[in-house]
């Protein structure tokens, strides 16, 4: 009888999400993938059946993003062999982690640890007790063993006292001092550590002032990996404007080149974003420097804030802002402040494997994971993680929804017509001033609670997150969202930009009819009645026009499309088809306005 080993480790979501910058997110994802591969390489006497280990091994040296999931299934001829492999995998993961931790310690902390109050002990305790490794052995037909094992809590991290980490708040920071009592000693410790880091990395960004970290966050920030060219969220938000300049007139391109020349020697002005974002690699030769500018020097809000963007003491900030304003005027546009996080996760994967077998499912997931980074790159985005049925990517605002559609289609194509696989997704539009950990936590909640649970899986959930909180949220089954080309929101965004819809019209519709569409205690109107009311509102002041009959027909079409994105639709659990609820919400119209205005500050 075949025996299966089910292996996993964590925490995953919190480890990745506790990130201050995109490089933290990237480093955390890559570190998890590295440890997972170490555990899988230890398997002997059996074979890994999920995921495709050979494909992961080939991709590991070629991909710039994380590819290995934090769990695997291996098959053996006996229970004893599977048990021995489980112990070996746990040991291999621990050794790989210890090797990384020891390297970071000796390189950055060994010479300064004596300045701390028990720094070595804190480091040892946190490194030893962070990872929760779980594995279980059982018959091949028992596919839910690992999920059952997770309900048995055996991992209890130690209590953490003292001041806590700026990045991972549940862990003590490494100096060991209490700031309210030993501020001077704590500051002196981190000054020396920061000096050591700058000496070794030649960068002031690897450990900034005020970043007092625990062992786990310190390792995540400083373990050996290539973070060159990793774009910031401000850079991703600025991409639509950057690419507009790429195709602008020679006069505008000259202004852009001159601006880049003006600021290129400022601290942190030039980054290697062009190394990661495909669209930036093909800029004209005289705009190569402009394509490498940090988004902080393209976003006027970030540039105007000394805390966000440092300049040389001799530089006149107002003068630099004026040069940026000239470029904005010449393009009649400016850099936005919103970027998109795209999360995707396969639905009911355990049931799918149970019904169709791990071999077929693994092959399909391998095809998806190997191809989806190319889809993200075609939409000017960067892939952070693509492994199995999971995807995490950053995209510019104007390409995110199209990318979600393309990735969804690719997922279904990877499975073909034989396996009825579905996938859910979340697109979170976030303002650059929102803390990154908050953004990632919100994106995961949007995927799990809204797309999967509330809407019924095979669904897309969209949210706009501003510094002040949630601005709007919309969700629907994918088949509903993808009716139209390339999706339901696209023609309405075009109508808004063409003047058929306006901010004032959407506001008036919401003010006049919100109680009729969203108040469950009120008598719900039939769609036909709402269509007449919406159309009448849109035609106020236009009845004297000679082309009124044509205008009314066009407006009825537009209002019908507006109602399509306003009606709350869920997935019927029995028929698996979209199920209109008869209730309406104005979150759809809010999202239309946001997308049409490109999320520009002060406009949306």
């Amino acid at each position: 009888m075949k025996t299966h080993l089910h292996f996993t480790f964590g925490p995953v979501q919190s480890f990745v999400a506790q990130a201050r910058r995109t490089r933290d997110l990237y480093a955390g994802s890559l570190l998890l993938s590295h440890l997972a591969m170490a555990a899988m390489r230890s398997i002997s006497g059996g074979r890994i059946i999920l995921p495709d280990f050979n494909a992961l091994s080939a991709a590991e040296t070629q991909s710039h993003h994380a590819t290995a999931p934090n769990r695997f299934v291996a098959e053996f001829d006996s229970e004893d062999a599977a048990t021995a492999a489980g112990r070996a995998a746990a040991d291999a993961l621990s050794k790989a982690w210890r090797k990384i931790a020891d390297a970071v310690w000796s390189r950055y902390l060994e010479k300064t640890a004596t300045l701390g109050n028990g720094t070595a002990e804190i480091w040892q305790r946190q490194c030893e007790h962070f990872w929760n490794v779980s594995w279980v052995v059982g018959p091949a037909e028992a596919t839910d063993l690992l999920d059952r094992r997770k309900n048995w809590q055996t991992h209890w991290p130690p209590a953490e006292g003292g001041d806590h980490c700026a990045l991972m708040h549940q862990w003590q920071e490494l100096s060991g001092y209490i700031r309210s009592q030993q501020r001077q000693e704590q500051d002196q410790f981190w000054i020396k550590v920061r000096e050591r880091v700058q000496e070794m990395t030649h960068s002031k960004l690897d450990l900034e002032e005020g970043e007092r970290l625990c062992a786990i966050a310190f390792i995540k920030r400083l373990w050996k990996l290539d973070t060159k060219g990793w774009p910031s969220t401000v850079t991703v938000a600025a991409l639509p404007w950057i690419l507009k300049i790429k195709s602008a007139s020679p006069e505008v391109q000259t202004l852009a080149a001159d601006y880049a020349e003006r600021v290129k020697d400022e601290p942190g002005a030039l980054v290697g974003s062009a190394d990661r974002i495909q669209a930036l690699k093909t800029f004209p030769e005289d705009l190569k420097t402009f394509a490498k500018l940090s988004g902080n020097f393209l976003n006027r809000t970030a540039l105007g804030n000394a805390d966000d963007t440092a300049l040389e003491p001799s530089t006149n900030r107002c003068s630099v802002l004026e040069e940026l304003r000239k470029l904005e005027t010449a393009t009649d546009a400016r850099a936005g402040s919103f970027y998109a996080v795209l999360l995707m996760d396969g639905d009911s994967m355990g049931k799918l494997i149970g019904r169709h077998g791990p071999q077929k499912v693994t092959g399909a997931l391998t095809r998806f994971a190997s191809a989806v980074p190319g889809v993200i790159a075609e939409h000017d985005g960067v892939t952070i993680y693509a492994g199995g049925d999971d995807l995490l990517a950053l995209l510019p605002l104007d390409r995110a929804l199209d990318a979600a559609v393309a990735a969804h289609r690719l997922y279904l194509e990877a499975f073909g017509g034989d396996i009825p696989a579905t996938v859910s997704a979340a697109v979170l539009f976030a303002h650059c001033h929102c803390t990154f950990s908050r953004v990632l936590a919100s994106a995961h909640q949007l995927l799990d609670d809204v797309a999967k649970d509330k809407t019924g899986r095979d669904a897309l959930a969209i949210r706009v997150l501003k510094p002040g909180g949630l601005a709007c949220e919309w969700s629907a089954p994918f088949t509903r969202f993808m009716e139209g080309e390339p999706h339901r929101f696209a023609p309405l965004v075009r109508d808004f930009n063409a003047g058929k819809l306006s901010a004032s019209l959407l506001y008036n519709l919401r003010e006049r009819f919100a109680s009729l569409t969203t108040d469950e205690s009120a008598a719900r109107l039939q769609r036909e009645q709402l269509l007449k009311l919406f159309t009448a509102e849109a035609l106020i002041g236009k009845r004297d026009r000679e082309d009124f009959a044509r205008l009314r027909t066009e407006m009825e079409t537009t209002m019908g499309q507006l109602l399509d994105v306003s009606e709350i639709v869920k997935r019927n659990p029995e028929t698996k088809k979209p199920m209109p609820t008869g209730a309406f919400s104005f979150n759809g119209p809010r999202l239309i306005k946001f997308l049409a205005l490109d999320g520009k500050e002060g406009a949306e």
Side-chain angles (χ1 to χ4, degrees), residues 30 58 73 100 117 129 145 173 198 224 262 266 295 304-305 376 379 415 439 478-479 482 493 524 533 537 563 600:
L30 207 62
V73 180
I100 291 171
N117 182 22
H129 293 95
L145 287 176
E173 57 88 24
Q198 291 178 13
K224 185 180 180 181
R262 167 75 186 271
E266 299 293 335
N305 189 335
I376 298 301
H379 291 81
F415 280 90
V439 169
F478 255 112
T479 50
M482 292 169 60
V493 170
R524 289 177 176 169
L533 290 171
E537 181 69 26
L563 283 169
K600 297 293 193 300

Side-chain angles (χ1 to χ4, degrees), residues 192-365:
K192 292 300 182 182
V193 172
R194 198 155 40 247
E195 288 175 353
R196 175 64 177 174
V197 169
Q198 291 178 13
E199 176 189 349
M200 301 303 293
T201 66
H202 308 290
S203 171
K204 295 181 180 180
L205 298 177
D206 290 309
L207 187 65
E208 296 184 86
E209 189 171 348
E211 288 190 315
R212 298 183 289 275
L213 305 180
C214 65
I216 314 303
F218 197 88
I219 292 169
K220 184 163 68 169
R221 178 65 64 81
L222 290 166
W223 80 295
K224 185 180 180 181
L225 78 162
D226 178 18
T227 57
K228 293 180 180 179
W230 193 255
S232 68
T233 57
V234 186
T235 301
V236 177
L239 268 176
W241 186 52
I242 297 173
L243 296 178
K244 184 174 183 177
I245 291 172
K246 179 183 178 181
S247 58
S249 67
E251 292 77 14
V252 169
Q253 292 189 357
T254 298
L255 277 176
D258 291 345
Y259 176 73
E261 191 68 24
R262 167 75 186 271
V263 301
K264 69 177 184 180
D265 295 325
E266 299 293 335
L270 292 183
V271 294
S273 296
D275 297 337
R276 300 280 183 188
I277 300 173
Q278 184 169 291
L280 296 182
K281 295 180 180 180
T282 56
F283 262 59
E285 189 62 34
D286 55 352
L287 282 179
K288 293 288 188 183
T289 302
F290 180 79
K292 293 184 178 182
L293 283 182
S294 163
N296 284 45
F297 286 82
L298 301 171
N299 182 297
R300 66 167 38 259
T301 303
L303 182 58
N305 189 335
D307 292 334
D308 288 341
T309 311
L311 299 177
E312 294 290 350
S314 59
T315 300
N316 185 314
R317 190 177 298 272
C318 291
S319 176
V320 176
L321 282 166
E322 176 59 23
E323 293 300 313
L324 179 61
R325 185 197 63 78
K326 291 179 182 177
L327 185 56
E328 292 173 342
T329 301
T331 58
D332 192 27
R334 55 192 173 97
S337 295
F338 284 85
Y339 64 98
V341 174
L342 170 61
L343 276 178
M344 296 192 81
D345 180 57
D347 298 318
S348 305
M349 194 53 55
K351 293 181 180 178
L352 210 63
I353 294 172
R355 291 172 183 169
H356 301 279
Q359 187 171 358
K360 285 186 177 181
V361 173
T362 299
L365 295 179

